Coordinates of all heavy atoms in Angstrom, one line a residue:
M677 N -41.7 -45.1 -3.7 CA -40.6 -46.0 -3.6 C -39.2 -45.3 -3.7 O -38.2 -45.7 -3.1 CB -40.7 -47.1 -4.6 CG -41.8 -48.1 -4.3 SD -41.5 -49.3 -3.1 CE -40.6 -50.4 -4.1
S678 N -39.2 -44.2 -4.4 CA -37.9 -43.6 -4.7 C -37.5 -42.7 -3.4 O -38.2 -41.9 -2.9 CB -38.0 -42.7 -5.8 OG -39.1 -41.7 -5.6
E679 N -36.3 -43.0 -3.1 CA -35.8 -42.3 -1.9 C -35.1 -41.1 -2.4 O -34.1 -41.2 -3.3 CB -34.7 -43.2 -1.3 CG -35.5 -44.0 -0.3 CD -34.4 -44.8 0.6 OE1 -33.6 -44.3 1.1 OE2 -34.6 -46.1 0.8
V680 N -35.5 -40.0 -2.1 CA -34.7 -38.8 -2.5 C -33.7 -38.5 -1.6 O -33.8 -38.1 -0.4 CB -35.7 -37.7 -2.4 CG1 -35.1 -36.3 -2.9 CG2 -37.0 -38.0 -3.2
K681 N -32.4 -38.8 -2.2 CA -31.2 -38.5 -1.3 C -30.8 -37.1 -1.7 O -30.1 -37.0 -2.6 CB -30.3 -39.6 -1.7 CG -30.5 -41.0 -1.0 CD -29.4 -41.8 -1.1 CE -29.7 -43.1 -0.3 NZ -28.5 -44.2 -0.6
K682 N -31.3 -36.2 -0.8 CA -30.7 -34.9 -1.1 C -29.4 -34.6 -0.3 O -29.4 -34.5 0.9 CB -31.8 -33.9 -0.7 CG -32.7 -33.5 -1.7 CD -33.0 -32.1 -1.6 CE -33.9 -31.6 -3.0 NZ -34.0 -30.2 -3.0
K683 N -28.4 -34.7 -1.2 CA -27.2 -34.4 -0.6 C -26.9 -32.9 -0.2 O -27.6 -32.1 -0.9 CB -26.0 -34.7 -1.4 CG -25.6 -36.3 -1.3 CD -24.3 -36.5 -2.1 CE -23.9 -38.0 -2.0 NZ -22.8 -38.4 -2.8
S684 N -26.4 -32.7 0.8 CA -26.2 -31.2 1.1 C -25.1 -30.6 0.1 O -24.2 -30.1 0.4 CB -25.8 -31.0 2.5 OG -24.7 -31.8 2.9
S685 N -25.7 -30.5 -1.1 CA -24.8 -30.0 -2.2 C -24.5 -28.5 -2.1 O -23.5 -27.9 -2.6 CB -25.4 -30.3 -3.6 OG -26.6 -29.8 -3.6
W686 N -25.5 -27.9 -1.3 CA -25.3 -26.4 -1.2 C -24.2 -26.0 -0.3 O -23.6 -24.9 -0.3 CB -26.6 -25.8 -0.8 CG -27.1 -26.3 0.5 CD1 -27.8 -27.5 0.7 CD2 -26.7 -25.9 1.9 NE1 -28.1 -27.7 2.0 CE2 -27.4 -26.8 2.8 CE3 -25.9 -24.9 2.3 CZ2 -27.3 -26.7 4.1 CZ3 -25.8 -24.7 3.7 CH2 -26.5 -25.6 4.6
L687 N -23.6 -27.1 0.4 CA -22.6 -26.8 1.3 C -21.3 -26.6 0.5 O -20.3 -25.9 1.0 CB -22.3 -28.0 2.3 CG -23.1 -27.9 3.5 CD1 -23.0 -29.2 4.4 CD2 -22.7 -26.7 4.4
W688 N -21.2 -27.2 -0.6 CA -19.9 -27.1 -1.3 C -19.7 -25.6 -1.9 O -18.6 -25.1 -1.6 CB -20.0 -28.0 -2.6 CG -19.5 -29.4 -2.2 CD1 -20.4 -30.4 -2.0 CD2 -18.2 -29.8 -2.1 NE1 -19.5 -31.5 -1.6 CE2 -18.3 -31.2 -1.7 CE3 -17.0 -29.2 -2.3 CZ2 -17.0 -31.9 -1.4 CZ3 -15.8 -29.8 -2.0 CH2 -15.8 -31.3 -1.7
P689 N -20.6 -25.0 -2.6 CA -20.3 -23.7 -3.1 C -20.0 -22.7 -1.8 O -19.3 -21.8 -1.9 CB -21.6 -23.2 -3.8 CG -22.6 -24.2 -3.5 CD -21.8 -25.5 -3.1
L690 N -20.8 -23.0 -0.7 CA -20.6 -22.1 0.5 C -19.2 -22.3 1.0 O -18.6 -21.3 1.3 CB -21.7 -22.7 1.4 CG -22.1 -21.5 2.6 CD1 -22.9 -20.4 2.0 CD2 -22.7 -22.2 3.8
G691 N -18.8 -23.4 1.1 CA -17.5 -23.7 1.6 C -16.5 -23.1 0.7 O -15.5 -22.5 1.2
L692 N -16.6 -23.3 -0.6 CA -15.7 -22.7 -1.6 C -15.6 -21.2 -1.5 O -14.6 -20.5 -1.6 CB -16.0 -23.1 -3.0 CG -15.6 -24.6 -3.4 CD1 -16.2 -24.9 -4.7 CD2 -14.1 -24.8 -3.3
M693 N -16.7 -20.6 -1.2 CA -16.9 -19.1 -1.1 C -16.2 -18.6 0.1 O -15.5 -17.7 0.0 CB -18.5 -18.7 -1.1 CG -18.8 -17.5 -1.7 SD -20.4 -17.1 -1.9 CE -20.9 -16.8 -0.2
A694 N -16.4 -19.4 1.1 CA -15.7 -18.8 2.4 C -14.3 -18.9 2.3 O -13.4 -18.0 2.7 CB -16.2 -19.8 3.6
T695 N -13.7 -20.0 1.6 CA -12.3 -20.3 1.4 C -11.8 -19.1 0.4 O -10.8 -18.5 0.7 CB -12.0 -21.6 0.7 OG1 -12.7 -22.6 1.5 CG2 -10.5 -21.9 0.8
G696 N -12.6 -18.8 -0.5 CA -12.2 -17.8 -1.5 C -12.1 -16.4 -0.9 O -11.1 -15.6 -1.1
L697 N -13.1 -16.1 0.0 CA -13.1 -14.8 0.6 C -11.9 -14.8 1.6 O -11.3 -13.7 1.6 CB -14.4 -14.7 1.4 CG -15.6 -14.3 0.6 CD1 -16.8 -14.2 1.4 CD2 -15.4 -13.0 0.0
A698 N -11.6 -15.7 2.3 CA -10.5 -15.8 3.2 C -9.2 -15.5 2.5 O -8.3 -14.7 2.9 CB -10.4 -17.0 4.1
G699 N -9.0 -16.3 1.3 CA -7.9 -16.1 0.5 C -7.7 -14.8 0.0 O -6.6 -14.2 0.1
A700 N -8.8 -14.2 -0.4 CA -8.7 -12.7 -1.1 C -8.4 -11.8 0.1 O -7.5 -10.8 0.0 CB -10.2 -12.5 -1.6
A701 N -8.9 -12.0 1.2 CA -8.6 -11.1 2.4 C -7.0 -11.1 2.7 O -6.4 -10.1 3.0 CB -9.4 -11.4 3.6
V702 N -6.6 -12.4 2.6 CA -5.1 -12.6 3.0 C -4.3 -11.9 1.9 O -3.4 -11.3 2.0 CB -4.9 -14.1 3.0 CG1 -3.3 -14.2 3.1 CG2 -5.4 -14.6 4.4
M703 N -4.8 -12.2 0.6 CA -4.0 -11.5 -0.6 C -4.1 -10.0 -0.4 O -3.1 -9.4 -0.7 CB -4.8 -12.0 -1.9 CG -4.6 -13.3 -2.2 SD -2.9 -13.6 -3.1 CE -3.5 -12.9 -4.8
A704 N -5.2 -9.5 0.0 CA -5.2 -7.9 0.0 C -4.5 -7.4 1.2 O -3.7 -6.4 1.1 CB -6.7 -7.5 0.1
F705 N -4.5 -8.0 2.3 CA -3.9 -7.4 3.5 C -2.8 -8.2 4.0 O -2.0 -7.7 4.7 CB -5.0 -7.3 4.5 CG -6.1 -6.4 4.1 CD1 -7.4 -7.0 4.0 CD2 -5.9 -5.0 4.0 CE1 -8.4 -6.2 3.6 CE2 -7.0 -4.3 3.5 CZ -8.2 -4.9 3.3
R706 N -2.7 -9.5 3.7 CA -1.7 -10.3 4.3 C -1.6 -10.2 5.8 O -0.6 -10.4 6.5 CB -0.3 -10.1 3.8 CG -0.3 -10.2 2.2 CD 1.2 -10.3 1.8 NE 1.2 -10.2 0.2 CZ 2.2 -10.2 -0.3 NH1 3.3 -10.3 0.1 NH2 2.1 -10.1 -1.8
G707 N -2.8 -10.0 6.4 CA -2.9 -9.8 7.9 C -2.0 -8.8 8.4 O -1.4 -9.0 9.5
C708 N -1.7 -7.7 7.6 CA -0.8 -6.7 8.0 C -1.4 -5.3 8.1 O -2.2 -4.9 7.2 CB 0.4 -6.7 7.0 SG 1.6 -5.5 7.2
W709 N -1.1 -4.6 9.1 CA -1.7 -3.3 9.3 C -0.6 -2.2 9.0 O -0.8 -1.2 9.2 CB -2.1 -3.3 10.8 CG -3.3 -4.0 11.0 CD1 -3.4 -5.3 11.6 CD2 -4.7 -3.7 10.7 NE1 -4.6 -5.7 11.7 CE2 -5.5 -4.8 11.2 CE3 -5.4 -2.6 10.1 CZ2 -7.0 -4.8 11.0 CZ3 -6.8 -2.6 10.0 CH2 -7.5 -3.8 10.3
H710 N 0.5 -2.7 8.4 CA 1.5 -1.7 7.9 C 1.9 -0.7 9.1 O 2.1 0.4 8.9 CB 1.0 -0.9 6.9 CG 0.2 -1.7 5.7 ND1 0.5 -2.9 5.3 CD2 -0.9 -1.3 5.1 CE1 -0.2 -3.3 4.4 NE2 -1.1 -2.3 4.3
S711 N 1.9 -1.4 10.3 CA 2.4 -0.5 11.4 C 3.8 -0.4 11.6 O 4.3 0.5 12.3 CB 1.8 -1.2 12.7 OG 2.1 -2.5 12.9
K712 N 4.6 -1.4 11.0 CA 5.9 -1.2 11.1 C 6.6 -0.9 9.7 O 6.7 -1.7 8.9 CB 6.5 -2.5 11.6 CG 7.9 -2.5 12.3 CD 8.3 -3.9 12.9 CE 9.8 -3.7 13.4 NZ 9.9 -3.3 14.7
M713 N 6.9 0.5 9.6 CA 7.5 0.9 8.3 C 8.8 1.1 8.4 O 9.4 1.6 9.5 CB 6.7 2.1 7.8 CG 5.1 2.1 7.8 SD 4.6 0.9 6.5 CE 4.8 1.9 5.1
S714 N 9.6 0.9 7.4 CA 10.9 1.1 7.3 C 11.2 2.7 7.3 O 10.3 3.5 7.3 CB 11.5 0.6 6.0 OG 11.3 1.5 4.9
W715 N 12.5 2.9 7.4 CA 13.0 4.4 7.2 C 12.7 4.8 5.9 O 12.7 4.0 5.0 CB 14.4 4.5 7.6 CG 14.5 4.6 9.1 CD1 14.9 3.5 10.0 CD2 14.4 5.7 10.0 NE1 14.9 4.1 11.3 CE2 14.6 5.3 11.2 CE3 14.0 7.1 9.7 CZ2 14.6 6.1 12.4 CZ3 14.0 7.9 10.9 CH2 14.2 7.5 12.1
P716 N 12.5 6.2 5.6 CA 12.4 6.6 4.3 C 13.4 6.2 3.2 O 14.6 6.4 3.7 CB 12.2 8.1 4.5 CG 11.8 8.3 5.8 CD 12.4 7.1 6.7
V717 N 12.9 5.7 2.1 CA 14.0 5.6 1.0 C 13.7 6.4 -0.1 O 12.7 6.8 -0.5 CB 13.7 4.0 0.5 CG1 14.8 3.6 -0.5 CG2 13.8 3.0 1.7
R718 N 14.9 6.9 -0.5 CA 14.9 7.9 -1.7 C 14.9 7.1 -3.0 O 15.7 6.3 -3.3 CB 16.0 8.9 -1.5 CG 15.6 10.0 -0.6 CD 16.6 11.2 -0.8 NE 16.2 11.8 -2.2 CZ 15.4 12.8 -2.3 NH1 14.7 13.1 -1.3 NH2 15.3 13.4 -3.4
A719 N 14.0 7.5 -3.9 CA 14.0 6.9 -5.2 C 13.3 7.8 -6.2 O 12.2 8.3 -6.0 CB 13.4 5.6 -5.2
Q720 N 13.9 8.1 -7.3 CA 13.2 8.9 -8.4 C 12.6 10.3 -7.9 O 11.5 10.5 -8.1 CB 12.1 8.1 -9.1 CG 12.7 6.8 -9.7 CD 11.5 6.0 -10.3 OE1 10.6 6.5 -11.0 NE2 11.5 4.7 -10.1
E721 N 13.5 10.9 -7.2 CA 13.0 12.3 -6.7 C 11.8 12.1 -5.6 O 11.2 13.2 -5.3 CB 12.5 13.2 -7.8 CG 13.6 13.5 -8.7 CD 14.7 14.4 -8.1 OE1 14.4 15.4 -7.6 OE2 15.9 13.9 -8.1
H722 N 11.7 10.9 -5.1 CA 10.6 10.8 -4.2 C 11.2 10.0 -3.0 O 12.2 9.3 -3.1 CB 9.4 9.9 -4.7 CG 8.6 10.6 -5.7 ND1 9.0 10.9 -7.0 CD2 7.3 11.2 -5.6 CE1 8.0 11.6 -7.5 NE2 7.0 11.8 -6.7
S723 N 10.5 10.1 -1.8 CA 10.9 9.3 -0.6 C 9.6 8.6 -0.4 O 8.5 9.0 -0.4 CB 11.2 10.2 0.5 OG 12.4 10.9 0.2
Y724 N 9.9 7.3 0.0 CA 8.9 6.4 0.4 C 9.3 5.4 1.6 O 10.5 5.2 1.7 CB 8.2 5.7 -0.7 CG 9.4 4.6 -1.4 CD1 9.3 3.2 -0.9 CD2 10.2 5.0 -2.3 CE1 10.3 2.4 -1.4 CE2 11.3 4.1 -2.8 CZ 11.1 2.9 -2.4 OH 12.1 1.9 -2.9
Q725 N 8.3 4.9 2.2 CA 8.5 3.9 3.2 C 8.0 2.5 2.8 O 7.1 2.4 2.0 CB 7.7 4.2 4.6 CG 8.4 5.5 5.2 CD 7.6 5.8 6.4 OE1 6.5 6.1 6.4 NE2 8.2 5.7 7.6
V726 N 8.7 1.5 3.3 CA 8.3 0.2 2.9 C 7.9 -0.6 4.1 O 8.5 -0.4 5.2 CB 9.4 -0.7 2.3 CG1 9.0 -1.9 1.9 CG2 10.0 0.2 1.0
C727 N 6.8 -1.3 4.1 CA 6.1 -2.0 5.2 C 7.2 -3.2 5.5 O 7.4 -3.9 4.6 CB 4.8 -2.5 5.0 SG 4.1 -3.5 6.2
M728 N 7.6 -3.3 6.7 CA 8.3 -4.4 7.0 C 7.7 -5.8 7.0 O 8.3 -6.8 7.0 CB 9.1 -4.2 8.5 CG 9.7 -2.9 8.7 SD 11.1 -2.7 7.6 CE 12.5 -3.3 8.8
G729 N 6.3 -5.7 7.2 CA 5.6 -6.8 7.2 C 5.3 -7.4 6.0 O 5.4 -8.6 5.8
C730 N 4.8 -6.6 4.9 CA 4.4 -7.2 3.7 C 5.1 -6.4 2.6 O 4.8 -7.0 1.4 CB 2.7 -7.0 3.6 SG 2.3 -5.3 3.5
G731 N 5.8 -5.5 2.7 CA 6.5 -4.8 1.6 C 5.8 -3.8 0.8 O 6.2 -3.4 -0.2
I732 N 4.6 -3.4 1.3 CA 3.8 -2.4 0.6 C 4.6 -1.1 0.9 O 5.3 -1.0 1.8 CB 2.3 -2.4 1.1 CG1 1.4 -1.8 0.1 CG2 2.3 -1.6 2.4 CD1 -0.1 -2.1 0.3
K733 N 4.4 -0.2 -0.1 CA 5.0 1.1 -0.2 C 4.1 2.3 0.2 O 2.9 2.2 -0.2 CB 5.8 1.3 -1.4 CG 6.8 0.2 -1.7 CD 7.5 0.5 -3.0 CE 8.4 -0.7 -3.4 NZ 7.6 -1.9 -3.6
R734 N 4.7 3.5 0.7 CA 3.8 4.7 0.7 C 4.7 5.7 0.7 O 5.8 5.8 1.2 CB 3.1 4.5 2.2 CG 2.0 5.6 2.2 CD 1.3 5.6 3.7 NE 0.2 6.6 3.7 CZ -0.4 6.9 4.8 NH1 0.1 6.5 5.9 NH2 -1.4 7.7 4.7
L735 N 4.3 6.9 0.1 CA 5.1 8.1 -0.1 C 5.3 8.6 1.2 O 4.5 8.6 2.2 CB 4.4 9.0 -1.1 CG 4.3 8.6 -2.4 CD1 3.3 9.5 -3.2 CD2 5.6 8.6 -3.1
F736 N 6.5 9.2 1.3 CA 6.8 9.9 2.7 C 7.4 11.4 2.4 O 8.3 11.6 1.6 CB 8.1 9.2 3.3 CG 8.4 9.6 4.6 CD1 7.6 9.0 5.7 CD2 9.4 10.5 4.9 CE1 7.9 9.4 7.0 CE2 9.6 10.8 6.2 CZ 9.0 10.3 7.3
D737 N 6.7 12.3 3.2 CA 7.1 13.6 3.0 C 8.2 14.1 4.1 O 8.0 14.0 5.3 CB 5.9 14.5 3.5 CG 6.0 15.9 3.2 OD1 7.2 16.4 3.3 OD2 5.1 16.8 2.9
V738 N 9.4 14.3 3.4 CA 10.6 14.5 4.3 C 10.5 15.8 5.0 O 11.1 16.0 6.0 CB 11.8 14.3 3.5 CG1 12.2 12.8 3.0 CG2 11.8 15.2 2.2
D739 N 9.8 16.6 4.4 CA 9.8 18.0 5.1 C 8.9 18.0 6.2 O 9.3 18.6 7.3 CB 9.1 19.1 4.1 CG 10.1 19.3 2.9 OD1 11.4 19.3 3.2 OD2 9.5 19.6 1.8
E740 N 7.7 17.3 6.3 CA 6.8 17.2 7.4 C 7.1 16.0 8.1 O 6.5 15.7 9.2 CB 5.5 17.4 7.0 CG 5.1 18.8 6.4 CD 3.7 19.0 6.0 OE1 2.9 18.4 6.5 OE2 3.5 19.5 4.8
F741 N 8.0 15.2 7.7 CA 8.3 13.9 8.2 C 7.1 13.0 8.6 O 6.9 12.7 9.7 CB 9.2 14.1 9.5 CG 10.1 13.0 9.8 CD1 11.3 13.0 9.0 CD2 9.9 12.1 10.7 CE1 12.2 11.9 9.2 CE2 10.8 11.0 10.8 CZ 12.0 10.9 10.2
R742 N 6.3 12.8 7.6 CA 5.1 11.9 7.8 C 4.8 11.3 6.5 O 5.0 12.0 5.4 CB 4.0 12.6 8.4 CG 3.4 13.7 7.4 CD 2.4 14.5 8.1 NE 1.9 15.6 7.3 CZ 0.9 15.6 6.3 NH1 0.4 14.3 6.1 NH2 0.6 16.5 5.7
A743 N 4.3 10.0 6.5 CA 3.8 9.4 5.3 C 2.4 10.1 4.9 O 1.7 10.6 5.6 CB 3.6 8.0 5.6
Y744 N 2.3 9.9 3.6 CA 1.1 10.5 3.1 C 0.7 9.7 1.7 O 1.5 8.9 1.1 CB 1.2 12.0 2.7 CG 2.1 12.2 1.5 CD1 1.7 12.5 0.2 CD2 3.6 12.2 1.7 CE1 2.6 12.7 -0.9 CE2 4.4 12.5 0.6 CZ 3.9 12.7 -0.6 OH 4.7 13.0 -1.7
G745 N -0.6 9.9 1.3 CA -1.0 9.2 0.0 C -1.4 7.7 0.3 O -1.4 7.3 1.6
P746 N -1.8 7.1 -0.7 CA -2.3 5.7 -0.6 C -1.1 4.7 -0.5 O 0.1 5.1 -0.7 CB -3.0 5.5 -1.9 CG -2.3 6.4 -2.9 CD -1.8 7.6 -2.1
Y747 N -1.4 3.5 -0.1 CA -0.6 2.4 0.0 C -0.5 1.7 -1.4 O -1.7 1.7 -2.0 CB -1.0 1.4 1.0 CG -0.7 1.9 2.4 CD1 -1.7 2.4 3.1 CD2 0.6 1.7 3.1 CE1 -1.7 2.9 4.5 CE2 0.7 2.1 4.4 CZ -0.4 2.7 5.1 OH -0.2 3.1 6.4
S748 N 0.6 1.3 -1.8 CA 0.7 0.4 -3.1 C 1.9 -0.3 -3.1 O 3.0 0.1 -2.6 CB 0.6 1.4 -4.3 OG 0.6 0.6 -5.5
Y749 N 1.9 -1.5 -3.7 CA 3.1 -2.3 -3.9 C 3.9 -1.9 -5.0 O 5.0 -2.1 -5.3 CB 2.7 -3.8 -4.1 CG 2.1 -4.3 -2.9 CD1 0.8 -4.6 -2.7 CD2 3.0 -4.8 -1.8 CE1 0.3 -5.2 -1.5 CE2 2.6 -5.4 -0.7 CZ 1.2 -5.5 -0.5 OH 0.7 -6.1 0.5
D750 N 3.3 -1.0 -5.9 CA 3.8 -0.4 -7.1 C 4.3 1.0 -6.9 O 3.5 1.9 -6.8 CB 2.9 -0.6 -8.3 CG 3.6 -0.2 -9.7 OD1 4.7 0.2 -9.7 OD2 2.8 -0.4 -10.6
L751 N 5.6 1.3 -6.8 CA 6.1 2.7 -6.6 C 5.7 3.6 -7.7 O 5.4 4.7 -7.5 CB 7.7 2.5 -6.5 CG 8.3 3.9 -6.2 CD1 7.8 4.5 -4.9 CD2 9.8 3.7 -6.1
N752 N 5.8 3.1 -8.9 CA 5.3 4.0 -10.0 C 4.0 4.5 -9.9 O 3.7 5.6 -10.4 CB 5.6 3.2 -11.4 CG 7.0 2.8 -11.6 OD1 7.9 3.7 -11.4 ND2 7.3 1.8 -12.2
R753 N 3.1 3.7 -9.3 CA 1.7 4.0 -9.1 C 1.6 5.2 -8.1 O 0.9 6.0 -8.2 CB 0.9 2.8 -8.6 CG -0.4 2.8 -9.2 CD -0.9 1.3 -9.0 NE -2.4 1.2 -8.8 CZ -3.1 0.2 -8.6 NH1 -2.5 -1.0 -8.5 NH2 -4.3 0.2 -8.5
L754 N 2.5 5.1 -7.1 CA 2.5 6.0 -6.0 C 3.0 7.4 -6.6 O 2.6 8.3 -6.4 CB 3.4 5.7 -4.9 CG 2.9 4.6 -4.0 CD1 3.8 4.1 -3.0 CD2 1.5 4.8 -3.5
I755 N 4.0 7.3 -7.4 CA 4.6 8.5 -8.1 C 3.6 9.2 -8.9 O 3.4 10.4 -9.0 CB 5.9 8.1 -8.8 CG1 7.0 7.8 -7.8 CG2 6.4 9.3 -9.6 CD1 8.2 7.2 -8.4
A756 N 2.9 8.3 -9.7 CA 1.8 8.8 -10.6 C 0.8 9.5 -9.8 O 0.3 10.6 -10.2 CB 1.3 7.7 -11.4
W757 N 0.3 8.9 -8.6 CA -0.6 9.5 -7.7 C -0.1 10.9 -7.3 O -0.8 11.8 -7.2 CB -0.8 8.4 -6.6 CG -1.8 9.0 -5.6 CD1 -3.3 8.8 -5.5 CD2 -1.6 10.0 -4.6 NE1 -3.8 9.6 -4.6 CE2 -2.9 10.2 -3.9 CE3 -0.5 10.5 -4.0 CZ2 -3.0 11.1 -2.8 CZ3 -0.6 11.4 -2.8 CH2 -1.8 11.6 -2.2
D758 N 1.1 10.9 -6.9 CA 1.7 12.1 -6.3 C 1.6 13.3 -7.4 O 1.3 14.4 -7.0 CB 3.1 11.8 -5.9 CG 3.6 13.0 -5.0 OD1 2.8 13.5 -4.3 OD2 4.8 13.3 -5.0
R759 N 2.0 12.9 -8.6 CA 1.9 13.9 -9.7 C 0.5 14.3 -10.1 O 0.3 15.6 -10.2 CB 2.6 13.3 -10.9 CG 4.1 13.1 -10.8 CD 4.8 13.1 -12.2 NE 6.2 13.0 -11.9 CZ 6.9 12.0 -12.4 NH1 6.4 10.9 -13.0 NH2 8.3 11.9 -12.1
A760 N -0.5 13.4 -10.0 CA -1.8 13.7 -10.1 C -2.4 14.6 -9.1 O -3.3 15.4 -9.4 CB -2.5 12.5 -10.3
H761 N -1.7 14.6 -7.9 CA -2.3 15.4 -6.9 C -1.4 16.6 -6.5 O -1.2 17.0 -5.4 CB -2.3 14.6 -5.6 CG -3.6 13.6 -5.6 ND1 -3.5 12.5 -6.3 CD2 -4.8 13.6 -5.2 CE1 -4.6 11.9 -6.3 NE2 -5.5 12.5 -5.4
G762 N -0.8 17.2 -7.6 CA 0.0 18.4 -7.3 C 1.5 18.1 -7.1 O 2.3 19.0 -7.3
G763 N 1.7 16.9 -6.7 CA 3.0 16.4 -6.5 C 3.9 17.2 -5.6 O 4.4 18.2 -6.0
K764 N 4.1 16.8 -4.5 CA 4.9 17.4 -3.4 C 6.4 16.7 -3.7 O 6.7 15.9 -2.9 CB 4.6 17.4 -2.1 CG 5.3 18.1 -1.3 CD 4.6 18.4 0.2 CE 5.6 19.3 1.0 NZ 5.1 19.7 2.2
V765 N 7.0 17.1 -4.8 CA 8.3 16.5 -5.0 C 9.4 17.2 -4.3 O 9.6 18.4 -4.5 CB 8.6 16.5 -6.6 CG1 9.9 15.7 -6.8 CG2 7.5 15.8 -7.3
P766 N 10.0 16.5 -3.5 CA 11.1 17.1 -2.6 C 12.3 17.5 -3.6 O 12.8 16.6 -4.4 CB 11.5 16.1 -1.7 CG 10.8 14.9 -2.0 CD 9.8 15.2 -3.1
R767 N 12.6 18.8 -3.6 CA 13.6 19.2 -4.6 C 15.1 19.4 -3.8 O 15.0 19.9 -2.6 CB 13.3 20.4 -5.2 CG 12.4 20.2 -6.6 CD 12.2 21.5 -7.3 NE 11.4 22.3 -6.4 CZ 11.1 23.6 -6.7 NH1 11.6 24.2 -7.7 NH2 10.2 24.3 -5.9
E768 N 16.1 19.0 -4.5 CA 17.4 19.2 -3.9 C 17.8 20.7 -4.1 O 18.0 21.2 -5.2 CB 18.4 18.3 -4.5 CG 18.1 16.8 -4.4 CD 18.3 16.4 -3.0 OE1 18.9 17.0 -2.2 OE2 18.1 15.1 -2.8
V769 N 17.8 21.4 -3.0 CA 18.2 22.9 -3.1 C 19.5 23.0 -2.6 O 19.8 22.7 -1.4 CB 17.1 23.8 -2.4 CG1 17.7 25.3 -2.6 CG2 15.8 23.6 -2.9
P770 N 20.4 23.6 -3.3 CA 21.9 23.7 -2.9 C 21.8 24.8 -1.6 O 21.1 25.7 -1.8 CB 22.5 24.4 -4.1 CG 21.7 24.0 -5.3 CD 20.3 23.8 -4.8
P771 N 22.6 24.4 -0.7 CA 22.5 25.3 0.6 C 22.7 26.8 0.3 O 22.1 27.7 0.9 CB 23.7 24.8 1.3 CG 23.9 23.4 0.8 CD 23.6 23.4 -0.6
S772 N 23.5 27.1 -0.8 CA 23.8 28.6 -1.1 C 22.6 29.2 -1.6 O 22.5 30.5 -1.5 CB 25.1 28.6 -2.0 OG 24.6 27.9 -3.3
E773 N 21.7 28.5 -2.2 CA 20.5 29.0 -2.8 C 19.3 29.0 -2.1 O 18.2 29.2 -2.4 CB 20.3 28.5 -4.3 CG 21.4 28.7 -5.2 CD 21.1 28.1 -6.6 OE1 20.0 27.7 -7.0 OE2 22.0 27.7 -7.1
K774 N 19.5 28.4 -0.8 CA 18.3 28.1 0.0 C 17.6 29.5 0.4 O 16.4 29.5 0.6 CB 18.8 27.3 1.3 CG 17.7 26.3 1.7 CD 18.3 25.2 2.6 CE 17.3 24.1 2.7 NZ 17.9 23.1 3.5
R775 N 18.4 30.4 0.9 CA 17.9 31.8 1.4 C 18.2 32.7 0.4 O 19.4 33.0 0.1 CB 18.6 31.9 2.8 CG 18.1 31.0 3.8 CD 18.7 31.4 5.2 NE 18.5 30.5 6.2 CZ 17.4 30.6 6.9 NH1 16.5 31.6 6.8 NH2 17.1 29.7 7.9
P776 N 17.2 33.4 0.0 CA 17.4 34.6 -0.8 C 18.1 35.7 -0.3 O 17.8 36.0 0.9 CB 15.9 35.0 -1.3 CG 15.0 34.5 -0.3 CD 15.7 33.3 0.3
A777 N 19.0 36.3 -1.0 CA 19.9 37.3 -0.2 C 19.1 38.6 0.1 O 18.2 39.0 -0.7 CB 21.1 37.7 -1.2
Ligands
ZN1468 ZN1 2.2 -4.2 5.8

């Protein structure tokens, strides 16, 4: 006599999971491929670029004129990474001392 009303309760966690995953993906990438980077900005003896789309930062090698290293929203983290990897810190060399006599 008892009617077993099995609600599709499993749909709930599934739906929540999908929403959570989508949210996490948006949080991580914000649908941005960092293809449009700003001009290099100098800060704390380092140069870096900022993504025009999401604001993520990346170190920039002014000598070779290219970005390098990981992406991060935290500049201090990038600088720490740079130092940990030998640190290609661009130094200000006075023009008179640039070429040895
Ligand atoms: Zn971006």
Side-chain angles (χ1 to χ4, degrees):
M677 287 280 277
S678 60
E679 277 183 49
V680 181
K681 285 190 177 175
K682 272 224 165 180
K683 278 189 178 177
S684 48
S685 55
W686 55 272
L687 272 173
W688 275 99
L690 200 74
L692 283 174
M693 210 169 75
T695 311
L697 279 174
V702 171
M703 284 278 281
F705 302 109
R706 298 191 194 183
C708 184
W709 291 97
H710 320 314
S711 54
K712 207 174 169 90
M713 302 296 280
S714 77
W715 279 97
V717 182
R718 277 195 70 86
Q720 300 175 49
E721 299 294 306
H722 285 76
S723 292
Y724 66 94
Q725 287 181 300
V726 184
C727 177
M728 307 295 269
C730 66
I732 206 166
K733 300 175 187 69
R734 198 182 184 197
L735 290 169
F736 190 84
D737 188 330
V738 288
D739 292 328
E740 295 182 35
F741 211 76
R742 64 184 176 85
Y744 68 101
Y747 288 94
S748 178
Y749 290 101
D750 188 351
L751 181 61
N752 292 322
R753 218 162 152 183
L754 292 179
I755 291 172
W757 178 93
D758 197 32
R759 290 206 175 116
H761 287 77
K764 188 167 184 175
V765 181
R767 271 183 297 171
E768 302 282 0
V769 181
S772 60
E773 291 178 29
K774 215 163 191 175
R775 289 175 186 275

